[in-house]
Amino acid sequence: MKSFNIALLALQSLSSSYGFEQQQIPLAAAPPTSIPIPLLGYGTWNLKPNASDGVSCALQTGYRHIDGAAIYGNEKEVGKGIKDGLKKAGLERSDIWVTSKLWNNRHRPDQVPKALEQTLSDLDLDYLDLYLMHWPVATSSVTGKAKLDYIDTWHAMEALLATGKVRHIGVSNFDPIQLNRLIASSTIKPAAHQFEMHPYLQQPEWLEWHQAHGIHVTAYSPLANLNPTYDDPSAGDDRPPSLLENSAFKDIAEKRGCSGPAAVALAWGMGRGSSVIPKSAHAERIEENFGALECELEFEDLKVIAQQGRQYLTRFSNPSGNWGVELYEGLDGT
């Protein structure tokens, strides 16, 4: 994606000439962070009931990064898919990157190592490459009530590193206030932060902050509103178009010979230095998404994508109302 990165640098230097708003200018890829995470990953959220087939297919296709979580309820199937995919692709465990996440009901420090052991048992793995705190929110196993609670949980996660059962630890869905507080209160800085980011929620300033602090960013929902969970009929005509049906992305894909509009969005995300974790249960879509590695975008494409971000700025995942806690303070789309 050499031409993409050159175009990104040019777009930054000339952005004022085109009248772009700063918050929607794509960023050039940052220097590598300390973690060797493959930029193209395979997500497993809502991947039921055929998670094992999807994971195995992804590994055989060429993906080397699998993203999961305890709350997805499919880690046993994901583990079976990893085992099958490694065997059929002739790979070793050390050839791939596996991420999982600690759920909200296991935030109590004594519960953190137990939650990790359960995840490793379900996945049938000896270690994780990355273990994330899924949200800065703890829920009571008795009352079900939620509250912001993450410092003591993080300290318990720090202790996991000495066990060798996790190689890196990080967070997910934090806002600037929460992440700064965590860093100031801790010995070990998060190696990675996973949050919603896609062409309809570009967040360049937030991404740039992570790059400046050496924290890798993984973008979940990198294809925006393709997940049916995000379908909101009440939004009416205000709903952004599906990325697969967005004519701007279809035109770019045709012009650049990319495998489809999804590949354009994924290439855009990887070109900014973030890893992306698209999910699909269908072999043909898994292969199409993998084609993002061969999709090279040019200067004029980035202007179009920046415009799409301004026009359709939308955050699709925000459980603040359901949980009764404030999330994403100070970030776009809230």
Side-chain angles (χ1 to χ4, degrees):
M1 290 185 283
K2 181 178 179 181
S3 59
F4 184 18
N5 292 331
I6 293 173
L8 280 167
L9 291 169
L11 179 56
Q12 286 184 301
S13 64
L14 296 176
S15 59
S16 59
S17 302
Y18 288 92
F20 290 157
E21 298 173 6
Q22 178 61 34
Q23 65 267 27
Q24 295 297 347
I25 299 171
L27 295 169
T33 58
S34 59
I35 60 174
I37 184 169
L39 291 186
L40 181 59
Y42 181 71
T44 60
W45 179 40
N46 284 350
L47 194 63
K48 293 180 180 180
N50 51 354
S52 58
D53 291 342
V55 170
S56 179
C57 177
L59 291 175
Q60 293 176 68
T61 300
Y63 292 77
R64 297 295 179 260
H65 171 185
I66 304 297
D67 180 89
I71 193 60
Y72 299 166
N74 59 3
E75 288 198 309
K76 288 185 178 181
E77 288 300 308
V78 169
K80 292 177 182 177
I82 290 174
K83 185 176 182 179
D84 186 65
L86 291 179
K87 180 179 180 180
K88 291 180 177 177
L91 300 171
E92 302 292 335
R93 165 66 181 93
S94 59
D95 293 326
I96 67 170
W97 181 282
V98 180
T99 295
S100 188
K101 309 176 192 75
L102 175 79
W103 187 239
N104 304 351
N105 63 353
R106 308 301 288 273
H107 271 222
R108 211 173 68 196
D110 67 304
Q111 289 294 313
V112 171
K114 295 177 182 178
L116 172 63
E117 290 293 346
Q118 186 64 58
T119 279
L120 290 175
S121 175
D122 288 344
L123 291 172
D124 195 19
L125 296 176
D126 295 327
Y127 70 93
L128 295 175
D129 295 278
L130 178 62
Y131 197 40
L132 303 176
M133 191 188 314
H134 208 146
W135 294 86
V137 175
T139 54
S140 169
S141 59
V142 177
T143 66
K145 291 184 177 180
K147 64 177 181 177
L148 293 173
D149 180 21
Y150 48 89
I151 297 298
D152 290 342
T153 305
W154 180 254
H155 292 164
M157 292 182 68
E158 289 178 321
L160 296 177
L161 292 168
T163 69
K165 295 178 180 179
V166 297
R167 301 291 173 84
H168 307 279
I169 55 174
V171 296
S172 182
N173 296 300
F174 276 55
D175 65 29
I177 294 174
Q178 294 158 354
L179 188 50
N180 275 295
R181 177 173 175 250
L182 182 143
I183 291 172
S185 305
S186 306
T187 302
I188 298 173
K189 179 179 64 177
H193 187 184
Q194 184 176 132
F195 53 87
E196 180 184 353
M197 190 166 63
H198 44 73
Y200 295 161
L201 187 64
Q202 299 185 9
Q203 305 186 94
E205 292 180 355
W206 190 215
L207 175 60
E208 188 175 35
W209 184 93
H210 288 80
Q211 293 170 340
H213 287 79
I215 300 174
H216 178 79
V217 169
T218 294
Y220 73 70
S221 298
L223 300 179
N225 51 351
L226 294 192
N227 197 304
T229 301
Y230 296 149
D231 190 27
D232 180 12
S234 66
D237 294 337
D238 293 333
R239 284 183 292 177
S242 163
L243 271 178
L244 294 185
E245 300 302 324
N246 186 317
S247 60
F249 288 88
K250 293 170 74 172
D251 290 346
I252 293 172
E254 183 176 358
K255 186 185 303 182
R256 304 302 171 207
C258 300
S259 58
V264 172
L266 297 174
W268 171 85
M270 290 186 288
R272 305 168 93 211
S274 62
S275 51
V276 294
I277 48 171
K279 181 270 298 183
S280 178
H282 306 289
E284 62 273 16
R285 188 62 54 77
I286 291 172
E287 293 176 6
E288 179 182 327
N289 291 342
F290 192 72
L293 293 172
E294 303 298 325
C295 180
E296 296 194 0
L297 307 182
E298 301 291 344
F299 175 77
E300 62 189 86
D301 306 326
L302 305 181
K303 292 190 291 181
V304 172
I305 295 173
Q307 172 58 34
Q308 295 299 299
R310 290 194 299 276
Q311 183 176 353
Y312 296 119
L313 175 61
T314 306
R315 180 181 296 277
F316 296 104
S317 176
N318 189 349
S320 296
N322 291 336
W323 291 351
V325 296
E326 291 295 326
L327 299 170
Y328 305 129
E329 184 175 350
L331 295 177
D332 293 341
T334 56

